Amino acid sequence: MPVSFRLFSRGFPLLISLCGLLGCSASAPSSRPSAQATLPSITLPPPATPVPPAESFPVMLGIDVLEAQGFAAIRGKTIALLTHPAGVNRQGVSTIDVLRRAPGVKLAALFGVEHGINGEFPASQNYNDYVDKRTGLKVYSLYDGKNGGHPSKAQLKGIDALVVDLQDIGSRSYTFAVRMKYAMEGCFENGVEVIVLDRPNPLGGLKVSGPLLDVKYMSGVGAFRVPYVHGLTIGELARMVKDELPPGGLAISAAARARGRLTVIPMKGWHRAMRWPETGLKFVGTSQLVQTYEATVGYAMVGLGCELSGFTHGIGKDFPFRGIAFKGPTVDVLEKEFNALNVAGVKYRKVMGTNSTTGKPEPGLYVDVVNWDEWDPTELSFRMMQLACRLNPPNPFARLSPNDLRRFNIHVGSEAWSTALVREGARINVNAFLKEWRERDQIYQQQTRKFWLYQ
């Protein structure tokens, strides 16, 4: 018997009115998909004031649809919730609070990913189980290094369903979707249903970019066989991984696969050409350095290029994942070098940040996406790696320790690339790799259409 899958998506039409481009600064991409209409801007009031009516938002999140359906998927159940600070409804109310007041539902426990339920832990810091002071609920850590990140049988005792409300950002190395996969494995092994409340991919659902992940480098920062920019929502990722066999699918027994139950609550009003600004939703920071939509774009664009290369993402304290700095060359030299890369769809401008140590001004480059259609999200990162070999001779990647090289590989995902980069340095044929990845990514996108919930 295959893993069952149910969709709760009918019977609640969406009322749409004009909405704004929230959290979108002048640095946001200026070229827009032709299917999108230009929307006037609005400003959400602070939480202390009355929120606008739900009809003023074009997109209903999974949690909104669940509530509109009278919580039918969880009514009469004892549930746990896997979430973080960005797990909110379209009016900014925490999903924790929405489920606590849901009629006929008992929210018994919380599960936390990297950074914790309230975003109180820094990146990569393990933390133990604790009690959430605001709600009094037990928080079980899926980031404590125990149980391989899986919920245990004891933690799931008495739980009918684990609800997942996590905001992914569309890049493979962001750890939240990995924890969802691990949670699915633990739940299916213990006969607990998984209910995923779907949320937008901030980059939309049409862009895919970068190498597919080599199986040998699957890890806590990449557990899906997808390109670096994968083009799926978190609900679609759940559908995909439920359907696949290992190593890309769930690493569970045949019996667990047979009894496993996945329910996805799709959004209303979202379609694949939508980037975050078109949703009308306020972006809630997903981690300390990803506090804006612009940072999600930058994470995909320069994150890999700053991995052990000598480049830094951010200029001192400022412009995380959008500013670029490099010790040594002047900002004028850096600007000239980046312009010479001829990366389509982007431009660079000199900006001034603040040095994290001295507090003094620090120059760098800010990367603007000026043509979304021409932009290949990960291309700049791989050009930056090649450039690093010229700016920091001899080849900095050839000097990596075995541990650092593995760290590099589990983020980038392609041993073929790292082998060539170590061997050839600045002479590496970036164009050949990009061509191969783009061809494979097109095949991947066609193969994964069967998991799409939206057009």
Side-chain angles (χ1 to χ4, degrees):
M1 178 180 177
V3 179
S4 64
F5 172 74
R6 295 177 291 160
L7 293 181
F8 289 78
S9 61
R10 295 180 295 173
F12 292 89
L14 174 64
L15 300 176
I16 302 178
S17 65
L18 294 177
C19 68
L21 307 182
L22 301 181
C24 185
S25 74
S27 62
S30 60
S31 176
R32 304 155 69 80
S34 57
Q36 299 303 315
T38 300
L39 302 176
S41 61
I42 63 172
T43 301
L44 283 177
T49 64
V51 297
E55 290 80 6
S56 59
F57 301 97
V59 172
M60 291 178 71
L61 300 166
I63 180 59
D64 301 310
V65 175
L66 178 67
E67 184 170 16
Q69 294 173 341
F71 301 100
I74 57 174
R75 185 178 289 273
K77 296 178 180 179
T78 298
I79 64 170
L81 174 64
L82 173 61
T83 193
H84 59 161
V88 298
N89 69 9
R90 57 183 171 164
Q91 294 174 299
V93 179
S94 169
T95 297
I96 298 172
D97 295 331
V98 174
L99 296 184
R100 286 177 73 203
R101 67 168 186 255
V105 177
K106 180 181 178 181
L107 178 58
L110 303 172
F111 283 84
V113 290
E114 186 177 8
H115 306 293
I117 289 293
N118 301 304
E120 63 267 54
F121 300 108
S124 303
Q125 178 179 314
N126 290 352
Y127 61 92
N128 296 320
D129 301 342
Y130 63 101
V131 174
D132 179 44
K133 294 180 180 179
R134 187 175 68 85
T135 64
L137 293 171
K138 185 66 174 286
V139 179
Y140 294 112
S141 172
L142 296 187
Y143 209 74
D144 60 0
K146 303 174 184 176
N147 304 319
H150 297 71
S152 68
K153 182 176 182 178
Q155 292 169 344
L156 294 171
K157 184 177 181 180
I159 301 297
D160 299 310
L162 175 68
V163 178
V164 179
D165 195 11
L166 295 169
Q167 180 61 60
D168 187 42
I169 66 169
S171 294
R172 187 184 62 224
S173 64
Y174 219 55
T175 62
F176 301 147
V178 176
R179 259 48 194 190
M180 176 190 69
K181 180 182 178 181
Y182 293 169
M184 290 172 65
E185 292 171 344
C187 286
F188 287 4
E189 288 281 11
N190 289 283
V192 175
E193 181 182 11
V194 175
I195 300 173
V196 178
L197 307 180
D198 210 7
R199 307 185 68 84
N201 183 326
L203 306 180
L206 298 177
K207 289 285 187 183
V208 294
S209 178
L212 288 165
L213 177 65
D214 290 348
V215 170
K216 68 184 296 184
Y217 292 117
M218 293 177 66
S219 71
V221 293
F224 298 85
R225 288 275 290 148
V226 296
Y228 190 75
V229 171
H230 53 70
L232 300 176
T233 69
I234 197 162
E236 291 169 338
L237 281 171
R239 294 188 69 194
M240 182 186 72
V241 78
K242 179 270 301 180
D243 191 66
E244 290 185 341
L245 295 174
L250 301 177
I252 55 176
S253 66
R257 188 176 297 277
R259 65 173 175 260
R261 290 176 296 152
L262 171 66
T263 300
V264 175
I265 311 294
M267 296 173 281
K268 290 281 191 178
W270 191 82
H271 55 83
R272 309 204 79 78
M274 270 188 172
R275 297 161 297 167
W276 190 274
E278 284 83 44
T279 67
L281 300 166
K282 181 179 179 180
F283 188 88
V284 178
T286 53
S287 59
Q288 285 90 342
L289 294 179
V290 181
Q291 290 292 310
T292 64
Y293 160 71
E294 288 80 9
T296 69
V297 174
Y299 189 100
M301 181 167 55
V302 305
L304 291 179
C306 296
E307 190 70 31
L308 301 171
S309 65
F311 285 104
T312 61
H313 59 77
I315 304 168
K317 301 177 181 179
D318 303 309
F319 313 112
F321 291 109
R322 295 306 293 264
I324 296 174
F326 195 93
K327 187 176 181 180
T330 67
V331 69
D332 291 328
V333 170
L334 209 58
E335 183 180 36
K336 181 179 179 180
E337 292 282 0
F338 270 80
N339 283 326
L341 297 176
N342 293 317
V343 177
V346 302
K347 286 188 176 180
Y348 317 96
R349 52 189 168 93
K350 290 179 280 189
V351 292
M352 196 67 69
T354 305
N355 187 284
S356 301
T357 303
T358 66
K360 294 180 179 180
E362 180 178 345
L365 294 181
Y366 189 95
V367 188
D368 285 309
V369 179
V370 295
N371 190 312
W372 187 267
D373 294 330
E374 292 183 356
W375 178 61
D376 180 342
T378 64
E379 178 181 353
L380 180 58
S381 276
F382 293 98
R383 304 283 185 192
M384 288 169 63
M385 295 177 203
Q386 183 185 38
L387 178 57
C389 295
R390 294 204 303 270
L391 297 178
N392 186 18
N395 184 345
F397 302 100
R399 305 196 299 265
L400 295 178
S401 69
N403 284 341
D404 282 343
L405 185 60
R406 175 169 175 76
R407 171 185 156 190
F408 180 82
N409 280 331
I410 66 175
H411 283 82
V412 175
S414 169
E415 188 171 54
W417 167 263
S418 67
T419 299
L421 185 62
V422 167
R423 181 180 64 246
E424 301 168 17
R427 302 187 310 277
I428 189 170
N429 188 343
V430 181
N431 289 337
F433 278 96
L434 292 176
K435 181 177 183 294
E436 179 183 346
W437 294 335
R438 286 165 182 161
E439 291 171 352
R440 291 184 179 181
D441 289 348
Q442 288 181 357
I443 296 171
Y444 153 85
Q445 196 164 43
Q446 288 301 314
Q447 291 176 337
T448 55
R449 287 180 70 93
K450 60 185 176 181
F451 305 117
W452 286 10
L453 296 169
Y454 319 91
Q455 296 302 315

